[in-house]
Amino acid sequence: MPVKSIMSSTAPLLTSRHVAVIGAGATGLVAARELRREGHRVVVFERGDEVGGTWVYTPEVESDPIGLNPKRSIVHSSLYDSLRTNLPRESMGFRDYPFKKREEKGRDSRRFPGHREVLMYLQDFAARFEIYELVRFGTEVVFAGLDKGGKWRVTSASRNTDPVDEIYDAVIVCNGHYVKPRLPHIPGINVWPGKQLHSHNYRRPEPYQDKVVVLIGNSSSAVDISRDIATVAKEVHIAAWSLEEDKLGKMHGHENMWLHSMVDSVHEDGTVVFKDGNAVAADFIIHCTGYSYEFPFLETNGEVTVDDNRVGPLYKHVFPPALAPWLSFVGLPWKIVPFPQFELQSKWIAAVLSNRIALPSKEEMLEDVEAFYSSLEASGTPKRYTHNMALLQWEYNDWIADQCAFPYIEEWRKQMYLATGKNRALRPDSYRDEWEDDDLVQQAEQDFANYLI
Ligand code: FAD
């Protein structure tokens, strides 16, 4: 059904599509908003009862604490009770709906707020842009695959009802990727007598009272969880992949925390041996070792695979060339400022679906993907880091902004990301409460004054 663009009277006629969005976390919400702005008809499937995805905290944990058993009960959220954001709120928010400080009762006005404040922000976003009416809660997509004539069949199941089959023009995958634990192989783990869990199933420190705990990994979850546990544990040992020798040993400013090289092996008598030869007798191992991408509902006849955590082939991390633009993914990259990038990807998808923006040919997209993979290989980047963007995020975001004729991400936001990274490295214990980039906060607040929310 052609609809006239609401953007300008000279805009071309846009095509309205019937689009299924899978997931109502931050990606699904902003995808739904952008799709509707572009004139598409949208249904958002959400297996949970609320919007917000990973920001919906629950004290519940999975039946298998390391997440190996495929039949385990799945808990979506990976949040721990004490979690505060690791990015300042000014940098986190969507572009035209800033994550401003709110002073009302019940709100957390800190610059790095607790997780509940992020959930409330996403709920506010969903209410402000009338997304709730598009969401089917308690409805899980159990199958999404190609049907006749290039359409997509989506099968969804709600509690106490039979599965329902529907046909859509396009499917956008927004299912989140912090759910399926990734575990390293540790020699001896099968006979090690202690308890193990993945950070996905860590909630509170009490079970570790007076215990000796080894955490594997030194990314943001390990940094936070180790400090949370150290408030009650006897000893906390962090096994890190890459650290300069002079950082190893007792941690400055902490009575009961040590940094080690990676775990080498574990043993029947309970000892954990590190690669530098040190050993401790531990009660718990907590794997802070990241997550695997997983799309159990998606059937693409092999056109999209997950290989060593590379989801591919995908043109610019979004469109599989063979199925574009009818299948797309929002939110796969990591080590980024997430929400503004989700917004850009969603704008791009919405405009490609309406024919306002054209994609290159399938062959050209595949060539681009191959060139990208070759560049990763040439730089020695492992496959599992395909979607790890870090400093490359800005160029990527600007490229998508160019496609959409949308303004680039603000300079202050980039500078704030860099300043926060430096501050976190300098003050891992206090970066959320002590900083030196107030000038950037001021610039952000000036910008926010342009938006009425
Ligand atoms: P999710 O939030 O995971 O949402 C996916 C949704 O899809 C869920 O609601 C789920 O129920 C639904 N779903 C899944 N499968 C199906 C299905 N088959 N059918 C129907 N529904 C389905 N980002 C920041 O910006 N700042 C931070 O400080 C920050 N801290 C983080 C800390 C932790 C511990 C973690 C895990 C992540 C953090 N992030 C942070 C990143 C965060 O994941 C993103 O900000 C963002 O919330 C991801 O949104 P999403 O929509 O991709 O996924």
Side-chain angles (χ1 to χ4, degrees), residues 180-212:
K180 188 185 176 199
R182 251 173 97 81
L183 289 186
H185 172 68
I186 302 174
I189 199 71
N190 291 337
V191 294
W192 186 73
K195 288 193 183 146
Q196 298 179 64
L197 70 150
H198 186 275
S199 56
H200 181 59
N201 290 307
Y202 174 77
R203 295 293 180 268
R204 295 184 55 85
E206 289 80 1
Y208 310 94
Q209 179 85 42
D210 302 324
K211 302 290 184 199
V212 177

Side-chain angles (χ1 to χ4, degrees), residues 41-210:
R41 288 158 295 139
V42 188
V43 174
V44 182
F45 293 90
E46 172 50 57
R47 65 182 174 191
D49 297 322
E50 290 181 60
V51 301
T54 206
W55 296 99
V56 181
Y57 173 79
T58 170
E60 256 179 83
V61 292
E62 297 187 345
S63 49
D64 174 2
I66 50 174
L68 285 183
N69 182 352
K71 297 210 170 95
R72 71 193 187 280
S73 60
I74 304 279
V75 171
H76 187 83
S77 181
S78 298
L79 297 186
Y80 27 95
D81 196 20
S82 64
L83 184 135
R84 290 173 65 187
T85 64
N86 54 25
L87 292 174
R89 63 191 306 147
E90 305 86 21
S91 69
M92 269 182 68
F94 296 111
R95 296 283 288 284
D96 59 0
Y97 192 75
F99 189 13
K100 284 185 180 171
K101 239 195 315 203
R102 299 187 52 162
E103 305 287 358
E104 301 101 291
K105 193 159 177 274
R107 301 302 294 239
D108 180 347
S109 62
R110 291 175 296 180
R111 191 174 179 216
F112 294 76
H115 55 79
R116 211 178 131 59
E117 182 67 17
V118 184
L119 177 63
M120 287 197 269
Y121 165 75
L122 290 173
Q123 290 169 338
D124 292 344
F125 177 88
R128 164 68 182 78
F129 295 101
E130 298 172 352
I131 310 296
Y132 280 101
E133 64 197 42
L134 306 177
V135 185
R136 291 192 200 156
F137 288 105
T139 308
E140 176 168 10
V141 170
V142 292
F143 175 84
L146 261 185
D147 203 68
K148 290 185 226 87
K151 301 275 181 187
W152 283 77
R153 176 176 298 275
V154 173
T155 310
S156 60
S158 313
R159 280 165 223 128
N160 310 322
T161 56
D162 289 333
V164 176
D165 263 356
E166 290 168 300
I167 300 298
Y168 288 86
D169 296 318
V171 166
I172 305 187
V173 178
C174 295
N175 67 329
H177 51 87
Y178 296 107
V179 183
K180 188 185 176 199
R182 251 173 97 81
L183 289 186
H185 172 68
I186 302 174
I189 199 71
N190 291 337
V191 294
W192 186 73
K195 288 193 183 146
Q196 298 179 64
L197 70 150
H198 186 275
S199 56
H200 181 59
N201 290 307
Y202 174 77
R203 295 293 180 268
R204 295 184 55 85
E206 289 80 1
Y208 310 94
Q209 179 85 42
D210 302 324

Side-chain angles (χ1 to χ4, degrees), residues 143-411:
F143 175 84
L146 261 185
D147 203 68
K148 290 185 226 87
K151 301 275 181 187
W152 283 77
R153 176 176 298 275
V154 173
T155 310
S156 60
S158 313
R159 280 165 223 128
N160 310 322
T161 56
D162 289 333
V164 176
D165 263 356
E166 290 168 300
I167 300 298
Y168 288 86
D169 296 318
V171 166
I172 305 187
V173 178
C174 295
N175 67 329
H177 51 87
Y178 296 107
V179 183
K180 188 185 176 199
R182 251 173 97 81
L183 289 186
H185 172 68
I186 302 174
I189 199 71
N190 291 337
V191 294
W192 186 73
K195 288 193 183 146
Q196 298 179 64
L197 70 150
H198 186 275
S199 56
H200 181 59
N201 290 307
Y202 174 77
R203 295 293 180 268
R204 295 184 55 85
E206 289 80 1
Y208 310 94
Q209 179 85 42
D210 302 324
K211 302 290 184 199
V212 177
V213 183
V214 171
L215 288 100
I216 301 185
N218 55 341
S219 62
S220 30
S221 300
V223 170
D224 282 355
I225 295 173
S226 57
R227 284 157 175 80
D228 210 21
I229 289 180
T231 57
V232 300
K234 184 172 166 205
E235 294 175 15
V236 174
H237 299 268
I238 303 171
W241 273 284
S242 49
L243 271 185
E244 295 108 60
E245 292 249 316
D246 63 340
K247 297 234 165 87
L248 300 181
K250 190 116 186 283
M251 285 172 63
H252 181 68
H254 294 274
E255 278 306 301
N256 57 349
M257 293 180 75
W258 287 261
L259 262 181
H260 299 270
S261 53
M262 191 32 66
V263 170
D264 179 71
S265 56
V266 294
H267 300 267
E268 218 167 341
D269 63 359
T271 50
V272 174
V273 179
F274 302 96
K275 288 205 186 290
D276 59 11
N278 284 329
V280 294
D283 302 300
F284 282 92
I285 290 179
I286 305 186
H287 301 275
C288 302
T289 43
Y291 295 86
S292 297
Y293 294 93
E294 191 181 38
F295 311 99
F297 49 84
L298 194 59
E299 175 51 78
T300 64
N301 301 326
E303 296 292 358
V304 183
T305 58
V306 183
D307 175 13
D308 192 17
N309 244 12
R310 167 182 289 173
V311 186
L314 290 183
Y315 179 58
K316 309 292 183 195
H317 306 268
V318 172
F319 290 109
L323 302 170
W326 312 115
L327 178 67
S328 55
F329 295 78
V330 182
L332 296 189
W334 48 281
K335 271 214 184 150
I336 54 164
V337 179
F339 296 2
Q341 184 176 95
F342 300 164
E343 187 173 10
L344 283 168
Q345 291 179 323
S346 300
K347 280 183 190 296
W348 187 34
I349 295 168
V352 168
L353 284 174
S354 70
N355 291 332
R356 191 158 58 80
I357 297 175
L359 286 177
S361 68
K362 175 181 160 188
E363 291 68 29
E364 285 166 326
M365 288 193 274
L366 274 172
E367 256 173 50
D368 185 273
V369 180
E370 283 309 325
F372 172 53
Y373 291 169
S374 303
S375 72
L376 292 180
E377 211 167 299
S379 63
T381 308
K383 218 182 239 181
R384 64 179 186 280
Y385 288 161
T386 298
H387 306 291
N388 172 9
M389 274 197 184
L391 295 180
L392 299 176
Q393 67 181 305
W394 313 119
E395 198 185 324
Y396 173 83
N397 291 340
D398 289 352
W399 185 89
I400 299 191
D402 274 339
Q403 306 303 298
C404 307
F406 193 69
Y408 290 156
I409 299 252
E410 311 89 328
E411 189 54 32

